[in-house]
Amino acid sequence: PVRVPNESGNPAAHVRFLILGPWLPERLAAFLLLLVAFDALASNAVGEMVCGDVPVTVIGWTREDAIEVCSAVQASLSWLRTTELTLSDRVTIRPLDDQGAVANTHRLGRYDSRTKEIQILPFDAALKASVAERPAFGVPMTRDLWRSYVAHETAHAVADRYFASGVPHLTAGEYL
């Protein structure tokens, strides 16, 4: 049986005990443990992140890939600015899922000029694909090679506004 403390007839202590119960330390410990576990799971995922001072938002990436995507975008946009090419519209970059990669002729990445969205196969999936199938350029995927795909798709997004209307974007854009 649980004994209700009576601190010199203090009714507040009695009410606190009845509401919180005798297992308050155990409840707090369990709650804190759940918070720590949730934080550990969530710390690897990024819901949405703006890439510094450039008009690019990454959505749905692991923290490591989001940082890499933003870094590659910032580096490629910095270089493109030296040629007076700039990104004017906000662009979103999402992971390309397996279904999208199979349905698309570009298995590692693509840019959709209608939605202003880039999709790139996440690094781990690109690495697995480079081992399971004949890899691009005959070499296994590396972080640097993967970043070059991000830069390539970023160049499509930048070039998009410079194409004259009626020019087939797919054909002209692949020369970037």
Side-chain angles (χ1 to χ4, degrees):
V2 175
R3 198 169 152 220
V4 178
N6 186 359
E7 298 175 1
S8 305
N10 182 348
H14 185 72
V15 169
R16 226 181 5 255
F17 179 83
L18 291 175
I19 292 171
L20 299 176
W23 304 280
L24 180 61
E26 291 85 359
R27 287 181 184 172
L28 282 176
F31 178 73
L32 290 175
L33 186 61
L34 283 173
L35 280 179
V36 168
F38 179 78
D39 185 53
L41 290 173
S43 67
N44 195 34
V46 172
E48 185 172 310
M49 184 169 93
V50 176
C51 294
D53 62 348
V54 298
V56 175
T57 303
V58 296
I59 299 173
W61 295 92
T62 65
R63 183 173 307 283
E64 183 179 11
D65 280 355
I67 290 168
E68 288 284 337
V69 168
C70 284
S71 175
V73 165
Q74 289 171 319
S76 61
L77 290 177
S78 177
W79 184 86
L80 288 167
R81 272 193 300 275
T82 67
T83 64
E84 299 182 14
L85 296 172
T86 59
L87 183 62
S88 61
D89 296 323
R90 177 152 293 281
V91 172
T92 302
I93 304 178
R94 297 178 190 273
L96 178 64
D97 61 16
D98 293 336
Q99 228 177 11
V102 170
N104 188 24
T105 57
H106 302 287
R107 305 228 10 199
L108 288 171
R110 63 179 172 206
Y111 169 68
D112 187 331
S113 61
R114 295 164 301 180
T115 61
K116 308 293 185 208
E117 183 173 284
I118 293 171
Q119 292 183 332
I120 299 283
L121 197 61
F123 176 74
D124 287 342
L127 178 61
K128 285 178 192 169
S130 78
V131 173
E133 303 170 18
R134 186 178 146 265
F137 310 112
V139 295
M141 185 60 63
T142 64
R143 281 272 177 195
D144 287 336
L145 181 57
W146 184 73
R147 287 169 51 93
S148 78
Y149 283 100
V150 175
H152 174 85
E153 297 305 328
T154 302
H156 282 298
V158 169
D160 185 52
R161 78 179 229 192
Y162 297 99
F163 289 126
S165 65
V167 173
H169 289 211
L170 182 60
T171 304
E174 280 308 311
Y175 286 99
L176 298 174

